[in-house]
Amino acid sequence: MTNAVYFLAVPLLLIATYKYAPMVAALFNSTQAYNLAGQPVRFIGLDNYTRIFGDPSFTQSLQLTFLFVIIKVPLQLMLGLLIALFVMDTNRINNFVRSSLFLPTVTPMVVVGLVFSFLFDREIGIINAILSVFNIDKVSWLLEPRSAQLVVILLSVWRDAGFVMLVFLAGLQGIPTQILEAAQMDGANRWQILRRIQIPLLRRTIQFALIFVTSASFQLFAPIFVVTRGGHRAQPMCWPIAFTKPPFVSSIGAPRMPCRSSCSSSSLW
């Protein structure tokens, strides 16, 4: 028992130092008023929380973030499971498809954002070039709020599809083949096997994928900032991007109100 305590002491200390200590510091900072030099001057309690949730830009960013998560998470899970079912068999073609789908997952977020910016650009974008072949007018994908939100959702789903596919693929391959063969011998078709055997046995896998996708969706920042300029070119802002806008930053990019940033981050833990 003593050896186990010593063994866990170092990682627990690191977790407390680099994870929980900043949380406590942010909570403390959110209850302070600051001067122009960024120094705390007095304790004001929950006034910063009242101000931040009364800020229309922050509340709008929260609404758009939750809307993004509600749309993306089910779509991501269904697409990942569907792809995993198609590439479950091991052969050269499926191995190539798996590698191709997983490649965007290890691609930097900024690069993915730049790719989609070029794809959906009004003047030089490939999407509008394809639409022009069918005599369809050019669409300002990145300038209109609704279409920009759609682009961001497509970008996020496309990038995470490979990882979610890999998670479901591991779960599907972990199901004993004897169970599937017994169901086939009893006359079960593909849909019945999926609905009554595979999905129930994937419960733990689905829970893990749900937690991962939901957490990643709330933390999405870089591609939204690159594609939509954080809301300058359109309105699809997420809550982290609200920290890069007034009243959070000044015109030169320096933090303007550290108390509000701390309040905003601590309110979303």
Side-chain angles (χ1 to χ4, degrees):
M1 181 65 180
T2 304
N3 293 334
V5 173
Y6 290 147
F7 182 77
L8 293 175
V10 174
L12 289 177
L13 181 62
L14 292 175
I15 292 174
T17 302
Y18 293 103
K19 181 177 181 179
Y20 294 106
M23 290 183 180
V24 174
L27 284 172
F28 175 78
N29 292 336
S30 68
T31 61
Q32 305 295 312
Y34 287 77
N35 56 24
L36 294 178
Q39 300 295 327
V41 293
R42 67 181 187 279
F43 177 81
I44 58 174
L46 300 178
D47 288 353
N48 285 325
Y49 290 90
T50 303
R51 292 180 182 178
I52 193 62
F53 283 104
D55 187 348
S57 63
F58 183 73
T59 54
Q60 182 193 30
S61 68
L62 281 180
Q63 293 173 0
L64 292 174
T65 300
F66 278 105
L67 177 63
F68 169 77
V69 172
I70 291 172
I71 296 175
K72 187 226 162 132
V73 171
L75 184 62
Q76 187 79 77
L77 295 179
M78 290 188 293
L79 181 63
L81 178 59
L82 184 64
I83 297 175
L85 289 171
F86 275 106
V87 300
M88 186 169 58
D89 296 332
T90 302
N91 53 57
R92 292 184 178 180
I93 296 178
N94 285 346
N95 290 338
F96 174 77
V97 173
R98 295 175 190 174
S99 302
S100 300
L101 290 174
F102 191 76
L103 183 62
T105 304
V106 296
T107 304
M109 278 286 195
V110 175
V111 176
V112 175
L114 289 174
V115 169
F116 271 73
S117 295
F118 284 112
L119 285 176
F120 289 92
D121 188 89
R122 174 180 171 81
E123 301 300 330
I124 62 174
I126 297 177
I127 303 301
N128 277 338
I130 295 175
L131 294 178
S132 63
V133 175
F134 301 96
N135 296 325
I136 300 176
D137 295 336
K138 292 183 178 180
V139 179
S140 301
W141 297 100
L142 306 180
L143 299 178
E144 299 294 333
R146 297 293 184 184
S147 58
Q149 291 171 11
L150 176 62
V151 172
V152 170
I153 292 173
L154 291 176
L155 180 155
S156 180
V157 171
W158 174 76
R159 184 183 185 275
D160 293 338
F163 180 83
V164 179
M165 171 207 67
L166 198 64
V167 171
F168 280 118
L169 189 61
L172 288 170
Q173 292 180 343
I175 298 176
T177 56
Q178 294 86 348
I179 298 177
L180 303 179
E181 292 173 355
Q184 292 175 349
M185 292 179 63
D186 290 337
N189 55 35
R190 189 66 180 268
W191 168 248
Q192 291 173 332
I193 293 175
L194 174 64
R195 180 168 170 265
R196 298 187 178 275
I197 297 178
Q198 290 177 312
I199 291 181
L201 293 176
L202 288 174
R203 182 176 58 184
R204 298 293 184 185
T205 304
I206 294 173
Q207 290 176 354
F208 171 79
L210 177 63
I211 294 172
F212 169 81
V213 174
T214 303
S215 176
S217 300
F218 276 112
Q219 299 174 12
L220 194 66
F221 173 82
I224 298 179
F225 189 82
V226 172
V227 172
T228 69
R229 301 299 185 266
H232 288 296
R233 297 170 66 182
Q235 296 301 319
M237 295 168 52
C238 60
W239 67 267
I241 288 181
F243 301 159
T244 68
K245 294 178 174 295
F248 297 98
V249 295
S250 63
S251 58
I252 61 174
R256 179 178 292 177
M257 295 185 179
C259 57
R260 292 210 185 173
S261 297
S262 298
C263 170
S264 306
S265 59
S266 62
S267 65
L268 290 164
W269 288 342

